[in-house]
Amino acid sequence: MEALEKLKFILREEEMPMFSDEQLEKYLNSSDSFELALYELLMLKSENTGLQISGLTIQDTSSYFRRLAQTYRPYNSGVLGG
C-alpha cells in the first residue's frame, strides 16, 4: 500500500474527510518519518467535533483520534532510559 493511501486509510479520510491529498503529501514530505506525520495529522484531526443544535446531537470523535494518535506518538517505546 502506498504511503498516501495508507495515511488516508488510517485517518479514515473516506468516511470523515479533513485533509486534501496535497496537505497529506506535505506532511509526509516534511516529517522525519511516516509515523511522525501520522501522529501530527491524527492530533489535528482530534479537534472537538461534537455539535448540538436544538436537540440534535452529533457525537464527538476527538477522543477516538487522540487514542489512535497515542499509537504513533514518537518515542512511545515504554522503556525508560536511565
Side-chain angles (χ1 to χ4, degrees):
M1 185 182 288
E2 181 185 329
L4 179 62
E5 293 302 316
K6 188 174 179 181
L7 262 184
K8 291 169 84 171
F9 176 76
I10 295 170
L11 290 167
R12 297 183 62 190
E13 282 295 300
E14 191 168 316
E15 296 91 3
M16 294 178 269
M18 183 173 178
F19 304 106
S20 67
D21 286 357
E22 293 79 25
Q23 289 171 312
L24 295 174
E25 288 283 353
K26 179 184 171 200
Y27 274 93
L28 276 174
N29 294 332
S30 66
S31 294
D32 293 337
S33 68
F34 175 83
E35 288 78 15
L36 183 57
L38 184 55
Y39 174 74
E40 292 172 353
L41 290 164
L42 285 166
M43 290 307 292
L44 287 172
K45 201 156 186 172
S46 71
E47 296 173 344
N48 189 344
T49 56
L51 179 65
Q52 185 173 12
I53 302 173
S54 54
L56 174 67
T57 302
I58 297 174
Q59 291 292 77
D60 178 31
T61 59
S62 62
S63 60
Y64 167 78
F65 287 108
R66 275 195 302 272
R67 281 193 314 273
L68 191 55
Q70 294 308 309
T71 305
Y72 299 96
R73 182 175 55 185
Y75 314 112
N76 190 16
S77 68
V79 178
L80 297 175

